Amino acid sequence: FLTACGFHRMDITPCADGRLAHLIRYVLRLPAEIVRRKAYAGAIFAIEDNVAKWAEVELQRQQGVQPEDTKYLKVVAYHFSSIEGDIEGCAAHGSDDLKAAESGRDALYGFQSAVSQIFNRPDAVQCLLIGVDTATDSIYLHVPDNEGLIDIKSPLQATDCIGFNSEQIKTFVDTHSPHASSGMRMLASRLIENNLAQLAYVKFNHNGFYP
C-alpha cells in the first residue's frame, strides 16, 4: 500500500510523551514492523540522525530491487488536548498547540533541506505533519501541497468524517486537499479511516474521552 502511495519508507517521529506510545498500532492502526518510529521530546528530532538514516535506506535501495520513483516519507506527530488544553498539551512547548505544530513543521522542513543540500536530492523526501488529540485519539492531518508546503491552520480532521464510508472519506480528502499529490491523498484517506476505528474503540471503552 505504501508503494502504491509512492513511498518506500515511512519514518514517524512522535513526541516522547507517553500518551503517544500507542500512536502506530492504535491511533493510526499501522503495522509497527513496517514503520520506523523514534520519539523525541516535543517531536523535535535530531536532523543529523535522520539524514544518516535516510542515507542508509537509500544505500539499501540502490543495492536492492525497489521502485526508483518512490519517496521517503517523514512524519512528525505533535499532540494537544481538547480537554484542559492549556495544561494538558505538549509540555515541551508549554501546552501551546500552535507552537507544537509549527515546531514539527519546521523540523520537517529542516530535514528536507538537509537532504537536498547534502545529497542534492530536493525531491527525495515527502513530509506529513499529524496532530493527535490525547483526550480522544482523534487526528489532524496537515497534508503538504504539490510544493511541499504544510498548512498549519487548515488540517484534515478525522472527526469531520465520522459516519463516512471509504469512498466518502476519499471524496472528503480530495475536496479539501486538491493540491496534494494523489499518493498523499490516498494515504491520508487510509489514515483517517483507520483513526475512525480507533475513535469507535475509545467511544466504546471510555465514552469517547480518556479519564
Side-chain angles (χ1 to χ4, degrees), residues 191-206:
L191 293 180
I192 288 175
E193 184 173 0
N194 289 359
N195 186 236
L196 291 178
Q198 177 65 7
L199 297 187
Y201 173 88
V202 175
K203 182 178 180 180
F204 181 81
N205 290 279
H206 304 284

Side-chain angles (χ1 to χ4, degrees), residues 14 33 50 73 87 90 92 96 98 104 108 140 159 166:
E33 60 272 11
N50 278 259
L73 177 62
I87 60 173
C90 183
D96 186 329
L98 179 60
L108 290 170
Y140 286 10
T159 52
S166 298

Side-chain angles (χ1 to χ4, degrees), residues 19-20 22 27 78-83 88 130-140 159 195 199 208-210:
R19 290 173 294 176
L20 270 67
H22 65 313
V27 177
Y78 70 95
H79 65 101
F80 58 93
S81 178
S82 56
I83 299 178
E88 293 292 341
I130 301 178
V132 181
D133 181 356
T134 54
T136 66
D137 279 350
S138 66
I139 59 172
Y140 286 10
T159 52
N195 186 236
L199 297 187
F209 297 91
Y210 289 117

Side-chain angles (χ1 to χ4, degrees), residues 97-171:
D97 301 343
L98 179 60
K99 183 179 179 182
E102 290 178 338
S103 296
R105 176 200 60 191
D106 293 345
L108 290 170
Y109 285 170
F111 174 61
Q112 273 186 315
S113 178
V115 171
S116 176
Q117 293 179 18
I118 296 172
F119 295 95
N120 194 29
R121 296 285 302 280
D123 299 322
V125 175
Q126 182 86 290
C127 295
L128 174 63
L129 181 65
I130 301 178
V132 181
D133 181 356
T134 54
T136 66
D137 279 350
S138 66
I139 59 172
Y140 286 10
L141 297 180
H142 302 271
V143 178
D145 62 19
N146 281 324
E147 301 298 322
L149 298 177
I150 295 173
D151 185 356
I152 295 296
K153 297 182 179 180
S154 301
L156 301 172
Q157 299 184 39
T159 52
D160 288 339
C161 298
I162 291 176
F164 287 12
N165 59 33
S166 298
E167 283 302 313
Q168 290 171 320
I169 293 172
K170 181 180 182 299
T171 299

Side-chain angles (χ1 to χ4, degrees), residues 54-101:
W54 174 86
E56 177 186 332
V57 170
E58 284 302 298
L59 180 60
Q60 292 174 348
R61 272 165 47 77
Q62 291 176 11
Q63 295 174 339
V65 180
Q66 293 194 31
E68 296 182 357
D69 58 347
T70 55
K71 298 180 185 296
Y72 187 100
L73 177 62
K74 180 64 186 178
V75 182
V76 161
Y78 70 95
H79 65 101
F80 58 93
S81 178
S82 56
I83 299 178
E84 297 185 344
D86 56 335
I87 60 173
E88 293 292 341
C90 183
H93 298 293
S95 289
D96 186 329
D97 301 343
L98 179 60
K99 183 179 179 182

